[in-house]
Structures are given as C-alpha cells and as structure tokens.
Amino acid sequence: MSSFFIKKKVNASVPKTNEKAAVLKRKADGESRNKGRSKKLNSRLNEEISSDSEPESPQVSRRRKGNVEEEFDETAQEKKLRLAKLYLDQLKEEEENKAEESFETDLVAGRLQEEVLEQKGKLQRLVAKDLFPPEAADLRLLRGHKLPVTCLVISPDDKHIFSAAKDCAIIKWDVETGKKLHTIAGGRKGTEDRHVGHTDHILCMAISSDGKYLATGDMNKLIMIWEASTCKHLYKFTGHRGPVSGLSFRKGTHDLYSASHDRSVKVWNVDENAYVETLFGHQDVITGLDCLSRERCVTAGGRDRSVRVWKIAEESQLVFHGHEGSIDCIQLINEEHMITGADDGSVALWSVNRKKPLSTVKQAHGCHGDPGLEQPHWISAVAGLQNTDTVASGSHNSKVQLWRCGEGYRGLHPLFSVPVTGFVNSLKFSSSGSFLVAGVGQEHRLGRWWRIKEAKNGLYIIPLKKRDSDQEAESGE
C-alpha cells in the first residue's frame, strides 16, 4: 500500500511542475511578442520621421526645455523689459532701413534733378574757386606733328587724344604715357584718288559721345569718317563747296553737323553714311561750330560778326551780335550758354535767350605792337568745361587764360594763366575736368599772318589742380 501511495503522490506532483513551466513559457512568449511589437513600432516610427527632423538632437530639446524653464523663471517685470528691448530693436532696424531707402531715393532724385537742369542749361557746378595754377614742370608737351596743330579732341573716357595739323596727318595719343598709338599720314595734293587720308590742311575734328566715330574736315572740302578705336577709314563725305571749318557730333547720337567757308551748315547721318540737309544764313565764312544733346547747333560767322543758333527740327535760326571783329571760335558751356572769341581781342559769354552778350572782356589777352599802334592779341581758341563755371581762352601772347564765370554767367573773372609759347589754335577740357589740352603751332590755324619761330608744334597737357581742405584752411588764414 505504501509503495502505491508514494507512486501516486509523485505522479500527482508532476502536473504542478508542468503548470509552472507553462506559465513561465507563456510569460517568456509574451515578453518576446512585446519585444517584437516594440521593434516593429520603433521601425515604423523611424520610417515616418523625415530627414529634416533628424538634426533635432537631444541637445536642442534640452535647449528648448531650458528656454521654457527660463520663461517660467522670469518675472512679469523682466518679461516687460525684454519685450520693450525687442520692440526698440525692431524700431531701430526699421529706421535704418528707412534711412538707407531715403538716401538712395535722394541720390536718384539728385541725379534726375541734375539731368533736368542740364537739359534746361541751368546746371552750373562751381569748380573754378578750387582751381590753382600748375607748376611749369607739371606741363607735358607731346610732339609729333611737323607743322602747326590746328585741332584736337579728347575721347569720352579721357584716355586718348586725337590731333590734326597743317601737315595733313592725324595722330592718336595715349594720355597717361604721352606716346603715339597711331598715325594717319597726310598725302600730297593731287593724290586724293589713291591716298587714304587727307591731302590738305585739316581744320576741324569731332568725336562721337560713345567714342565710336571720329570725323575730320580739311581745306579740300572733304569730311573723313574714321573708326576711333582702330583709326580705320570708313567714309568720305563730299558736298561742301569750301573748306570744312567746323564739325560736331550731336551728343548721344551719330548725327554730324558740319560748317564750311561756303557759308552753309550741313547735317549728316554717319550710321547710314548719308547726307540729310543743308542750312543757309551766314553772310561770311563760318569759322566754328559746336553742339550738345539738343537738335540744334551754334556757329560763328567770321566777319559777318554774328553768332547763330540753328534749330534743326524747326528749320529756323536765331541771330546774335556783339563782337566788333571777326568771330573765330565758339563753344557751348551748356545747352543755354556759350563762349566766343574774336580777332578784336574780346571774349564774350552768351545766353541763347538774349541777342546781346551777357558779359564781354575786351583785350582779354592784352595788346602787342609799337606804342600808339597797339593791336589786341587775337582770340584763336576758346573752351568751356561743360556745366561748370570754368572756361579758357587762347591767343598768341604765350599763355592760356582760365576764367571764372559769375553767377548766372553774368561776368568773366580771370583765374590764372598758363605759359604756352605759340599760337593756341585749339583748346579742350577733359570730360572729368582733370586736365586741359592746348593745340599749339607756330602759325594761326587759318592763315600765316605771323610766325613765332621759337614755338614748338605740339600738344600741351595742362593738369587742373584742385585745392584740398587743408590748403583752403591755410589760404583762409
């Protein structure tokens, strides 16, 4: 009995052990299933999170948490102070932006106002008061022409000078180095058919405002058109019946105005290589011509003692009188004012709205000759620094004279003179106003009335020096 009892007891304990194992197994299976589910959930979450959010490291979250803590930590007074500072910073930034915008607006408005004044001819920059005479050592003489220089022009970028002379040659110069870049040699009379260039004295020249074309006129009634950059010959204009004495391109265009001893003014279109029209009015040879951006030009009428303003579109002209001698040179200062010089020794300032000069200086370059028989030095060249109060004149009294125009161009006051030996046959200011170029020769450009043997045929580059604030303070003391 006992053995049976023991056996039965042992057998009865086996199911309990199995139950425990089953429970443990179920727990283990549940944990593994939970682990599997968490792995799947984590993988799904990783798939759903975009790459943009990856940089958000725990550091960022800690920062955010810190900010939140800080926000909770600050008092109401501190919060008001912080918000007030933010508001002030915003206001300051807005004010700076407004200041920048207003500055830019003022600049644009200033430029527009200057353009309007320039078009109306009322712009007058006061630069003369700051100029002072250069030292003799600062002058540069460029020599290359065999005979007297008669005319010159400066390229719009102030880098090159073109000059022409009675030797029929044209030379292109480099302003900085003073070296010759190109020479178009003159030819002999009678070789016009085979020679590319001039075969008689060149009296005038002009360059377009974009520096593309160069025009030259000679005693042989011809106008030559050149490519300014390469000095390549392009066209030849014929039509004048006398020497071509004046040339000027209308600013911003390739329209060319020409004047001649045949008393006419002609209009040409250089782009089209075409003649446009002819205007008549002067009673004597025309000795000079100039124009700016308006569709008009001004001319000096030599011994008919008249200055004329030609309104091309209206086909009309205005006539002005004031000089007592032959008017030999003319140049516009702006759209409304011009300067002229005559062989009676006078320099005159004009407005296109008045028939008489606004101001005249007689014997502007003094006199020469025996006592009792003195004659004024002829004014052979004038120039105006555009839209300023500074002009210059030249004669054969061995100097170039600079002048300051009074307010409203109602006066001419001498500034200083620059020593230059010979006939000053041409004067031109650079666009920047940093220098003045004088074309000088032993003879007058239009004839051989006198000869100054000691003169050198060439170009004088005259620097225009300006006083700085220190020098102004010293001069004030």
Side-chain angles (χ1 to χ4, degrees):
M1 286 293 289
S2 60
S3 61
F4 174 76
F5 175 75
I6 293 166
K7 188 177 179 182
K8 191 174 181 182
K9 192 175 181 180
V10 170
N11 290 336
S13 65
V14 170
K16 288 181 180 179
T17 307
N18 290 338
E19 284 176 9
K20 286 181 180 179
V23 169
L24 292 172
K25 186 179 180 183
R26 280 197 297 275
K27 283 183 179 180
D29 290 342
E31 287 176 1
S32 65
R33 279 197 298 272
N34 288 334
K35 285 181 181 178
R37 285 172 186 166
S38 64
K39 282 183 181 179
K40 286 180 181 178
L41 182 62
N42 287 335
S43 64
R44 284 177 186 173
L45 287 171
N46 289 334
E47 286 175 3
E48 289 174 2
I49 292 172
S50 63
S51 59
D52 294 337
S53 61
E54 286 176 4
E56 287 195 3
S57 62
Q59 292 177 350
V60 177
S61 63
R62 278 199 295 274
R63 279 197 214 104
R64 286 179 177 172
K65 190 175 180 182
N67 289 339
V68 172
E69 288 173 359
E70 285 174 8
E71 286 178 6
F72 282 115
D73 290 343
E74 68 179 353
T75 64
Q77 189 68 23
E78 288 172 342
K79 186 175 181 181
K80 285 181 182 179
L81 184 63
R82 179 172 58 82
L83 293 174
K85 284 181 179 178
L86 284 173
Y87 181 64
L88 288 173
D89 289 340
Q90 287 176 358
L91 286 177
K92 187 177 179 182
E93 189 177 350
E94 287 176 6
E95 287 296 325
E96 287 176 355
N97 292 336
K98 283 180 182 177
E100 287 178 4
E101 289 174 4
S102 64
F103 179 70
E104 291 174 1
T105 306
D106 290 343
L107 280 178
V108 173
R111 290 195 196 102
L112 289 173
Q113 188 177 7
E114 280 196 0
E115 287 178 8
V116 170
L117 289 173
E118 186 176 340
Q119 288 294 327
K120 291 182 177 179
K122 294 180 180 178
L123 182 63
Q124 187 181 19
R125 297 190 185 94
L126 305 178
V127 301
K129 60 182 175 59
D130 297 326
L131 298 178
F132 66 96
E135 299 292 333
D138 296 331
L139 304 184
R140 287 191 292 156
L141 175 62
L142 310 183
R143 298 194 64 187
H145 288 286
K146 297 174 183 177
L147 294 176
V149 175
T150 55
C151 52
L152 66 93
V153 291
I154 305 171
S155 63
D157 59 8
D158 291 348
K159 291 182 178 179
H160 305 107
I161 301 171
F162 296 87
S163 63
K166 289 186 177 182
D167 59 10
C168 313
I170 301 169
I171 299 178
K172 182 179 181 180
W173 307 84
D174 183 271
V175 172
E176 188 176 351
T177 63
K179 293 181 179 179
K180 287 188 282 187
L181 299 178
H182 203 286
T183 301
I184 304 170
R188 293 183 178 181
K189 288 184 180 181
T191 62
E192 292 84 6
D193 294 336
R194 58 182 182 274
H195 177 74
V196 178
H198 293 278
T199 59
D200 209 339
H201 299 175
I202 303 171
L203 298 180
C204 54
M205 65 195 322
I207 190 167
S208 58
S209 57
D210 60 358
K212 184 177 181 180
Y213 295 117
L214 177 74
T216 52
D218 66 11
M219 292 281 290
N220 206 22
K221 312 170 190 176
L222 298 176
I223 299 171
M224 301 278 188
I225 307 296
W226 313 83
E227 188 179 68
S229 58
T230 61
C231 293
K232 177 186 175 183
H233 184 263
L234 299 176
Y235 316 126
K236 182 189 292 185
F237 289 156
T238 60
H240 279 296
R241 298 180 179 181
V244 181
S245 54
L247 287 169
S248 186
F249 278 96
R250 182 184 170 199
K251 195 175 178 181
T253 74
H254 293 146
D255 294 338
L256 177 67
Y257 301 131
S258 66
S260 169
H261 288 188
D262 65 7
R263 309 176 186 181
S264 72
V265 173
K266 290 186 183 291
V267 184
W268 315 82
N269 187 310
V270 175
D271 278 330
E272 303 294 332
N273 186 18
Y275 158 79
V276 179
E277 62 179 314
T278 302
L279 307 169
F280 294 96
H282 277 291
Q283 303 302 309
D284 193 44
V285 300
I286 302 175
T287 54
L289 176 146
D290 195 23
C291 72
L292 289 177
S293 58
R294 288 183 183 175
E295 197 174 357
R296 60 169 61 175
C297 64
V298 296
T299 53
R303 297 211 169 273
D304 74 2
R305 301 178 183 179
S306 73
V307 172
R308 298 188 184 230
V309 177
W310 304 82
K311 297 182 178 180
I312 309 299
E314 294 91 337
E315 295 184 353
S316 63
Q317 57 187 285
L318 303 174
V319 185
F320 305 80
H321 293 281
H323 287 286
E324 297 175 0
S326 174
I327 307 172
D328 291 341
C329 45
I330 186 169
Q331 190 168 358
L332 285 161
I333 305 169
N334 55 38
E335 295 287 2
E336 296 285 329
H337 299 92
M338 53 193 166
I339 183 171
T340 57
D343 67 3
D344 61 4
S346 63
V347 175
L349 274 175
W350 307 75
S351 167
V352 297
N353 300 315
R354 289 190 58 179
K355 293 298 183 76
K356 296 292 181 181
L358 295 174
S359 178
T360 303
V361 178
K362 295 185 177 181
Q363 299 179 7
H365 284 251
C367 297
H368 65 98
D370 297 328
L373 298 173
E374 295 95 342
Q375 293 292 321
H377 286 103
W378 295 1
I379 308 302
S380 51
V382 291
L385 183 54
Q386 279 188 21
N387 301 313
T388 71
D389 61 343
T390 307
V391 296
S393 60
S395 183
H396 59 97
N397 66 326
S398 301
K399 69 178 182 180
V400 171
Q401 180 68 45
L402 273 84
W403 307 84
R404 178 179 64 84
C405 301
E407 187 178 352
Y409 296 94
R410 293 186 177 276
L412 267 178
H413 312 285
L415 278 176
F416 56 83
S417 60
V418 181
V420 171
T421 304
F423 280 85
V424 180
N425 289 323
S426 185
L427 283 170
K428 286 289 185 295
F429 282 98
S430 63
S431 299
S432 63
S434 59
F435 62 92
L436 171 69
V437 183
V440 179
Q442 295 179 337
E443 302 168 355
H444 193 283
R445 72 183 183 100
L446 297 176
R448 303 187 66 183
W449 297 282
W450 295 282
R451 183 176 175 84
I452 303 174
K453 292 182 180 179
E454 62 271 22
K456 296 175 181 178
N457 300 318
L459 304 176
Y460 282 91
I461 299 180
I462 303 167
L464 297 177
K465 296 187 174 182
K466 295 182 180 180
R467 291 185 177 87
D468 55 24
S469 56
D470 296 335
Q471 289 174 320
E472 285 180 3
E474 287 175 10
S475 62
E477 292 173 2

